[in-house]
Amino acid sequence: MAEDARDRLARLHGEMRERICLMDWAPGTRLSEEGIAAEYGVSRTPIRRVLARLEDEGLVQSLHGIGTMVTDPGAEELAQTYALREELAELVGRLSPVEVGAAQRAEMAGFRAQGEALAQAPEARSFARLNMAYFAFGLSLTGNAVLREVAERLYYRTARVWLRQIAALDLAEECAVFLAELRETERALSAGDAMAAALVRRAHISMSVRRLMAAGAAGRAVD
Amino acid sequence: MAEDARDRLARLHGEMRERICLMDWAPGTRLSEEGIAAEYGVSRTPIRRVLARLEDEGLVQSLHGIGTMVTDPGAEELAQTYALREELAELVGRLSPVEVGAAQRAEMAGFRAQGEALAQAPEARSFARLNMAYFAFGLSLTGNAVLREVAERLYYRTARVWLRQIAALDLAEECAVFLAELRETERALSAGDAMAAALVRRAHISMSVRRLMAAGAAGRAVD
DNA sequence: TGCATAGTAGTTGTGCACAACAAGGCCGCG
DNA sequence: CGCGGCCTTGTTGTGCACAACTACTATGCA
């Protein structure tokens, strides 16, 4: 079997979401339905289906007669999203935490190793990709699928802004802090303590937000 | 100005969602895109746009060549959703709680009055509508729009199952319990304590889940 | 009678043409 | 020179026809 239409849309959605979150399509960018359709070799219809979902997720906004733009969350919305993300991060350790086994520890060690490599050669895009993959791993520590879905939704909503601000901050320092988080989490998982890992995550989200907010709204796309 | 296309879709979405949550379209029902389109006097296109959103929200599922069916969440998914809803209910009181003023107290008194009327003449559909409106009021007690959005999403995902189970339980007793919750919450809001109101809400969700689960999966639609 | 198979009806997914709409440029008029 | 209206261009929204796919039924054959 080649590929189900359902899977094709999911793949399209994932790719377009990544282009937004990695700032290939920065906030404010006007997307062309026809252009994207031509690029993927399909008609506007399935692209519109994906854009509709991205709009429901808050990543883009379509205006009749004007265009479809990548949204740029305001400071208030960002603060509210992060506030909720902090709570959800803690819930990952409290609601149906999985039993930490050898598989989790091995995967965690892999992330720590990648984190060390990144800290030696800081680079924004690699950082963003690793952060994304590590976030997914963190979610795998809860058995609550609904929580995973909601937390993922909110993560992708903040990812592009995080990446933009990271580039404005001291990239090397951010990578170093990230590596520290990875090491702390590895310690928690080695002890089999998923709740501790969740608390480490929450603490680092909290501190990350502080640094981001301190950097201010510099670099916000003009409307 | 007549109506924006955006608003029309939002209205369609709201109406169709209500038909699902009030069990006009019970779980398992096969929806006809063409039928709905004819009913609303539009083509399949905007209906498909709305159905796509409902599918992303988990209320319906479309299968190529088969049809679009109202989903019937399994016990596991329900449990996970309610577990998260409990936590979010508490967060309403913790994240950016609004200052409780005369307006909130007046609205709350209105709900309590409607609750008393309902308790005198229990009726499932009225109960569901009142519960829905009261839930929206509860969300208005937090200034965190993201939290409101997520909590609302999860509420509508459980509403239809709740209504089905309520009908199977002792309806009069459920209405009485609901009235008790309204009175407790009114007391909390009179004291200006939004956090207390949130905790009352959480407690009642928790107890409601217990009763629902105890009633078991009787009445589940067969696949 | 049992069963495989082709056919048929009904559904969602896709492509395409056109309508609805907004922004900017251009021309004519005061 | 200023400016108001028109027009042109580009975009998203809608309708419609057809393709892709599934379930069911009838039919012919052993």
Side-chain angles (χ1 to χ4, degrees), chain A residues 5 8-9 42-46 64-66:
Chain A
R8 172 162 41 148
L9 286 187
V42 294
S43 80
R44 279 178 55 207
T45 308
H64 190 185
I66 300 183

Side-chain angles (χ1 to χ4, degrees), chain B residues 141-162:
Chain B
L141 295 180
T142 177
N144 192 316
V146 180
L147 172 58
R148 286 201 299 268
E149 174 194 326
V150 170
E152 182 179 320
R153 186 181 174 90
L154 296 186
Y155 171 81
Y156 283 114
R157 196 183 283 196
T158 58
R160 63 197 184 285
V161 186
W162 172 83

Side-chain angles (χ1 to χ4, degrees), chain A residues 123-141:
Chain A
E123 197 272 318
R125 199 177 174 87
S126 308
F127 188 10
R129 283 189 189 278
L130 181 58
N131 196 310
M132 220 174 275
Y134 176 65
F135 176 82
F137 166 71
L139 285 190
S140 75
L141 295 180

Side-chain angles (χ1 to χ4, degrees), chain A residues 106-164:
Chain A
E107 200 170 356
M108 184 65 234
F111 279 114
R112 190 248 308 142
Q114 291 184 63
E116 286 171 347
L118 176 71
Q120 296 241 337
E123 197 272 318
R125 199 177 174 87
S126 308
F127 188 10
R129 283 189 189 278
L130 181 58
N131 196 310
M132 220 174 275
Y134 176 65
F135 176 82
F137 166 71
L139 285 190
S140 75
L141 295 180
T142 178
N144 191 315
V146 180
L147 171 58
R148 286 201 300 270
E149 175 194 325
V150 170
E152 183 179 320
R153 187 181 173 90
L154 296 187
Y155 171 81
Y156 283 114
R157 196 182 283 198
T158 59
R160 64 197 183 284
V161 186
W162 172 83
L163 176 56
R164 182 174 55 192

